[in-house]
């Protein structure tokens, strides 16, 4: 798993943060800002927002123009299979379920599409372990 995490984080430049909050104290906002500060292009995905961290927010992955490297998910586990299906349809390269987020069904969908995934881990913490 550690090798997969390193490959995903080093192979990603564009990160769609699904379920990002506009509130600066929320984990999704903190992680997205951390990614932004480390040179990642963050694309907020939340149907209730128009902009976060100076970036245009999109209602869904399907609305994001261009290809996303990494889909970072901050949603309830029961919502994750739908996000995984959308990630497959939009050609995402990698999929990440944040701490506390796990879905066996999403993993099956991603495995069938050949998309590497991580579950129940924090992107920010994993980047920290890599010294980034």
């Amino acid at each position: 798993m550690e090798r997969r995490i390193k490959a995903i984080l080093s192979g990603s430049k564009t990160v769609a943060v699904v379920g990002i909050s506009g509130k600066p104290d929320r984990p999704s906002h903190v992680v997205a800002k951390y990614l932004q500060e480390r040179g990642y292009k963050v694309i907020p995905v939340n149907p209730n927002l128009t902009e976060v961290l100076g970036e245009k927010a999109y209602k869904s992955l399907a609305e994001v123009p261009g290809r996303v490297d990494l889909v970072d998910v901050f949603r309830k586990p029961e919502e994750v299979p739908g996000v995984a299906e959308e990630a497959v349809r939009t050609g995402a390269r990698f999929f990440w379920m944040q701490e506390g987020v796990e879905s066996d069904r999403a993993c099956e969908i991603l495995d069938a599409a050949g998309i590497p995934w991580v579950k129940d881990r924090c992107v920010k913490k994993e980047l920290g372990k890599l010294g980034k």
Side-chain angles (χ1 to χ4, degrees):
M1 183 57 73
E2 302 310 314
R3 184 176 296 148
R4 181 186 294 189
I5 288 170
K6 188 174 182 180
I8 289 172
L9 294 175
S10 63
S12 298
K13 290 182 175 58
T14 305
V15 182
V17 182
V18 178
I20 190 170
S21 172
K23 298 175 183 173
D25 61 331
R26 302 291 297 159
S28 59
H29 193 99
V30 172
V31 169
K33 185 174 182 189
Y34 185 88
L35 288 167
Q36 220 178 29
E37 290 169 347
R38 275 141 191 86
Y40 290 88
K41 168 74 173 162
V42 170
I43 301 171
V45 178
N46 182 323
N48 302 312
L49 301 172
T50 56
E51 185 180 301
V52 183
L53 296 168
E55 299 289 341
K56 176 180 172 29
Y58 295 89
K59 294 185 184 316
S60 67
L61 281 175
E63 290 188 7
V64 174
R67 189 172 184 207
V68 170
D69 293 319
L70 175 60
V71 175
D72 187 14
V73 184
F74 287 87
R75 300 299 304 148
K76 294 176 184 171
E78 60 268 18
E79 296 176 19
V80 179
V83 179
E85 289 170 349
E86 201 171 25
V88 170
R89 283 193 304 273
T90 59
R93 294 179 56 217
F94 307 110
F95 196 88
W96 194 292
M97 293 168 263
Q98 280 293 142
E99 278 182 333
V101 181
E102 294 186 53
S103 168
D104 291 339
R105 179 66 190 128
C107 295
E108 291 168 3
I109 292 164
L110 297 162
D111 284 342
I115 297 175
W117 52 265
V118 172
K119 67 179 180 178
D120 195 27
R121 297 273 187 112
C122 176
V123 168
K124 181 177 182 273
K125 290 178 182 176
E126 297 302 325
L127 278 169
K129 288 179 190 176
L130 297 173
K132 298 183 180 197

